[in-house]
Amino acid sequence: MTTQTQQTLQTLRPPQTTPIALAPMAGVTDLPFRVICRELGADYTVSEMVSAKALLFRNPKTFAMLEVDPREHPVAIQLFGSVPEELARGAKIVAEHGADIIDFNMGCPVHKIVANGEGSALMKDPERAYACLAALVDAVDLPVTVKFRAGWDEEHRNAVEIAQLAEKAGVAAVAVHGRTRGQFYSGRADWDIIRQVKEAVSIPVLGNGDVFSAQDALDLLEASHCDGIMIARGAQGNPWIFREVKAALAGLPIPPVTLEERFTMVRRHLRDLIAFKGEKVAIREMRHHGACYFTGLPHSARYRNVINQCLTRDAFEQVLEEYEGELEKGE
């Protein structure tokens, strides 16, 4: 086992601390956002899901998703697929591109993914799920983790079985989203299923689902006794949630996010996205990010509509200047 692998495993279960990670989100956890979250306290981050098959076909857009910034280590690249041999070959490619962890997607509920037997559909086929995980573990000298859901639906809640198979395959840690595939993102996450998984395996278990504040994180830890937390939608527009959770865990006051800090972050996020993806793509993606950053602010609905019309960086920044000025005046 390499020194790098040992250090990464220590991140997954550091002594007397609780790792707080950025969960993978398609269209969200690209390199610029991962760096931001690391700077604000995330112990590690997970990329958008990457198709193992697309890597084997040398798809340029897919390879671009493997880029890792030196500031974000440790970082996990998440693979998806359902063919063990393809996943093993894809994992080797990922390892060559600087990832510290390889995460396997068994939680995506989107139809086009599950229709191919990938993502959360693998929870319906535990034998194939095990084969995929074992292939990944055998392929690389990196920690392999897996993120899955409570089950396929309410009648098939087999997270405990999947976790035990993952442990048998040699997986270093599991992350459990407390919703079934049938729920998608509706209803409440069931934190008790995370507790059940924690009691059933000896490897680290990270809990995921409905963590939108530091108090939510504390409540999840108390309810499930999990080893760490993965934050997904709660980090969109609020990357400060990582420092807030860290403060709460340490029993320290939670630092407020000032208006200046919020708008400075939106501008930084815009700048970094443009540098990484180009202005046209960055502006399109920042419409969503901007809407998340504005959530809870006065007049946010009106300004969300305005930024959805922006086509250039100058137009976007002008909207930010106008909105910030309006809020500073208390209008």
Side-chain angles (χ1 to χ4, degrees):
M1 184 180 294
T2 66
T3 301
Q4 177 187 6
T5 299
Q6 292 173 329
Q7 292 173 341
T8 303
L9 285 169
Q10 191 69 7
T11 298
L12 293 171
R13 183 181 274 174
Q16 298 180 345
T17 61
T18 303
I20 311 298
L22 172 67
M25 290 178 282
V28 177
T29 56
D30 54 20
L31 184 151
F33 189 63
R34 296 197 309 265
V35 171
I36 288 171
C37 291
R38 279 287 287 143
E39 290 178 358
L40 287 168
D43 290 297
Y44 75 96
T45 61
V46 188
S47 75
E48 304 173 79
M49 60 183 187
V50 175
S51 168
K53 188 182 296 290
L55 287 178
L56 301 185
F57 281 104
R58 316 299 294 186
N59 181 280
K61 290 184 178 180
T62 303
F63 266 78
M65 298 172 70
L66 301 183
E67 185 173 344
V68 172
D69 189 287
R71 295 169 292 176
E72 61 175 321
H73 292 291
V75 58
I77 297 297
Q78 187 183 70
L79 282 176
F80 76 94
S82 60
V83 180
E85 295 80 6
E86 292 178 353
L87 288 164
R89 292 166 60 195
K92 292 180 183 295
I93 295 172
V94 170
E96 293 169 355
H97 281 73
D100 302 293
I101 302 166
I102 293 178
D103 188 59
F104 184 49
N105 184 310
M106 284 180 54
C108 181
V110 177
H111 175 72
K112 68 178 182 179
I113 299 297
V114 300
N116 291 328
E118 301 166 338
S120 55
L122 281 167
M123 298 196 73
K124 297 192 295 180
D125 190 349
E127 184 175 340
R128 178 170 287 273
Y130 174 79
C132 290
L133 291 168
L136 286 167
V137 171
D138 290 343
V140 294
D141 183 27
L142 290 177
V144 173
T145 60
V146 58
K147 187 171 184 288
F148 50 87
R149 287 178 169 247
W152 176 254
D153 55 28
E154 287 302 316
E155 289 70 41
H156 302 88
R157 295 167 61 85
N158 62 338
V160 169
E161 177 189 11
I162 295 297
Q164 291 172 330
L165 288 174
E167 183 174 32
K168 180 182 177 182
V171 164
V174 300
V176 185
H177 182 168
R179 288 182 174 85
T180 65
R181 189 270 175 174
Q183 287 179 277
F184 276 74
Y185 300 100
S186 64
R188 289 289 301 173
D190 178 10
W191 292 347
D192 190 62
I193 193 70
I194 301 171
R195 177 192 61 79
Q196 293 174 36
V197 170
K198 171 59 184 170
E199 293 175 353
V201 297
S202 60
I203 56 178
V205 176
L206 283 79
N208 173 236
D210 290 344
V211 177
F212 295 97
S213 69
Q215 187 59 55
D216 290 338
L218 297 180
D219 292 344
L220 171 55
L221 288 170
E222 182 178 2
S224 68
H225 306 292
C226 59
D227 300 286
I229 293 174
M230 270 199 170
I231 300 176
R233 290 178 295 160
Q236 291 189 67
N238 185 27
W240 302 276
I241 193 171
F242 296 100
R243 78 177 186 191
E244 292 169 358
V245 173
K246 289 294 186 65
L249 288 171
L252 300 173
I254 296 176
V257 181
T258 66
L259 191 65
E260 179 182 5
E261 188 176 15
R262 183 173 299 277
F263 276 84
T264 297
M265 181 59 73
V266 180
R267 292 185 177 96
R268 180 260 177 93
H269 198 159
L270 173 63
R271 180 193 70 229
D272 290 354
L273 262 182
I274 291 173
F276 187 59
K277 297 184 176 182
E279 184 170 2
K280 183 177 180 179
V281 174
I283 294 300
R284 184 173 66 245
E285 294 187 1
M286 273 304 295
R287 293 170 182 169
H288 170 73
H289 287 295
C292 293
Y293 281 112
F294 294 163
T295 298
L297 296 180
H299 318 302
S300 60
R302 174 158 57 90
Y303 277 95
R304 282 198 299 268
N305 290 332
V306 174
I307 63 170
N308 280 336
Q309 310 305 315
C310 291
L311 300 176
T312 65
R313 175 177 183 170
D314 289 344
F316 201 105
E317 290 185 336
Q318 182 177 347
V319 173
L320 293 177
E321 184 175 351
E322 292 175 0
Y323 191 16
E324 186 176 18
E326 181 176 324
L327 293 175
E328 287 176 343
K329 294 176 183 177
E331 297 178 357

